[in-house]
Amino acid sequence: MTTTRQILAFLSLFLFAGNALADDETPVINPTATYTSVDGEVTESAEMSGQAPLKGYFQANASNVGDYTATYEWRFTREGSAEPYLTRYEENTEYTFTKAGSHSIVLYATFTKGNDVIQYGQEYWSEQQPLRVTISESKLEMPNAFSPNGDGINDIYKAKDGYQSLTEFHAYIFNRWGQKLYEWTNPADGWDGKYKGKDVAQGVYYVLVKAKGADGKTYNIKRDVNLLRGYTEGTNTGGGTAR
């Protein structure tokens, strides 16, 4: 015989299961970010530090959308600013960071089905940590010498290791008569000491570099370049090592 207590217990269990099912069917978001560095390294992280240009791919990862109509609004804001400098309205979006400093990224999402409206906005993000990106300040130095003698050490004249956050780069090599011998636009590349496929003579050449950093800094570097074919580690031709 079924008692009143058993009926109440059954109803309570039914209501609990119904609420749990409803919660499972509620649309939710889980924003994530994946970054690709200038070296091609891919990193997924909620907080990222790197140099410009840094490419970011942002995903809403919405689930339980079902019959709801979804709208998305990505907001990119610099540290110290109240207003976003960029707003995107797609579910997933890409952006390349070229400005130094700290950036926060949030996703506002709204799911609508009839009179049922579920929002993830300011109130949601007041309790959640935004995605963050920090772009380093720029740095660029050029050496004063190199030794293209085929020993695998300092054979290429290029920017010193440690350059970072350069959004523009253009370098030129000239001889003493002002003739342009070589130019390149990637700081990872450089000059091998040749002109039209042939080795140039040992001596003094000149480099001109025009570059711009993510922090707005401009570089106009002009300096002598000592080409030392007879220099190897353990010898000293008087020119010294590349500095």
Side-chain angles (χ1 to χ4, degrees):
M1 183 175 179
T2 303
T3 66
T4 302
R5 180 177 295 179
Q6 289 174 319
I7 294 173
L8 291 174
F10 175 78
L11 289 174
S12 297
L13 181 62
F14 178 79
L15 290 173
F16 176 80
N19 290 335
L21 181 61
D23 289 342
D24 288 343
E25 293 177 348
T26 299
V28 294
I29 59 173
N30 180 31
T32 58
T34 303
Y35 301 95
T36 303
S37 71
V38 292
D39 300 323
E41 182 178 351
V42 178
T43 304
E44 181 176 338
S45 178
E47 293 196 16
M48 181 68 181
S49 296
Q51 62 168 300
L54 180 68
K55 185 176 182 180
Y57 179 56
F58 303 91
Q59 293 180 283
N61 296 309
S63 57
N64 302 328
V65 177
D67 296 331
Y68 284 86
T69 299
T71 59
Y72 302 95
E73 182 178 317
W74 291 94
R75 298 184 178 187
F76 295 73
T77 307
R78 290 192 185 90
E79 184 177 28
S81 177
E83 297 297 326
Y85 63 86
L86 176 67
T87 304
R88 294 278 178 81
Y89 296 97
E90 53 261 11
E91 180 178 357
N92 304 315
T93 193
E94 293 183 357
Y95 181 68
T96 299
F97 296 88
T98 59
K99 301 291 185 181
S102 181
H103 308 248
S104 67
I105 303 95
V106 299
L107 170 64
Y108 281 25
T110 301
F111 301 92
T112 306
K113 183 171 65 174
N115 294 325
D116 188 12
V117 179
I118 299 170
Q119 292 182 315
Y120 297 92
Q122 186 173 357
E123 183 177 349
Y124 172 79
W125 286 106
S126 68
E127 299 178 354
Q128 302 291 329
Q129 291 296 323
L131 301 170
R132 294 191 184 278
V133 180
T134 301
I135 301 298
S136 59
E137 295 182 350
S138 64
K139 181 180 178 182
L140 175 63
E141 295 181 85
M142 302 298 293
N144 73 333
F146 75 124
S147 54
N149 52 25
D151 65 356
I153 302 173
N154 205 26
D155 283 332
I156 303 296
Y157 181 80
K158 59 183 181 180
K160 287 186 178 182
D161 292 341
Y163 67 85
Q164 62 186 23
S165 287
L166 300 175
T167 58
E168 297 177 20
F169 178 90
H170 207 143
Y172 309 81
I173 296 292
F174 300 92
N175 62 18
R176 68 180 66 185
W177 297 283
Q179 179 186 16
K180 184 177 71 175
L181 305 181
Y182 192 73
E183 64 180 290
W184 67 104
T185 57
N186 185 341
D189 297 334
W191 181 43
D192 60 2
K194 298 180 183 294
Y195 178 61
K196 294 184 176 180
K198 296 182 179 180
D199 289 343
V200 301
Q202 176 169 296
V204 179
Y205 296 83
Y206 307 93
V207 65
L208 169 63
V209 180
K210 294 182 178 293
K212 186 175 182 179
D215 48 6
K217 184 176 180 179
T218 57
Y219 295 85
N220 289 288
I221 300 173
K222 301 176 183 179
R223 70 176 309 171
D224 295 350
V225 177
N226 293 284
L227 191 156
L228 308 170
R229 293 203 182 278
Y231 179 86
T232 59
E233 280 203 354
T235 67
N236 190 340
T237 62
T241 58
R243 294 184 284 110

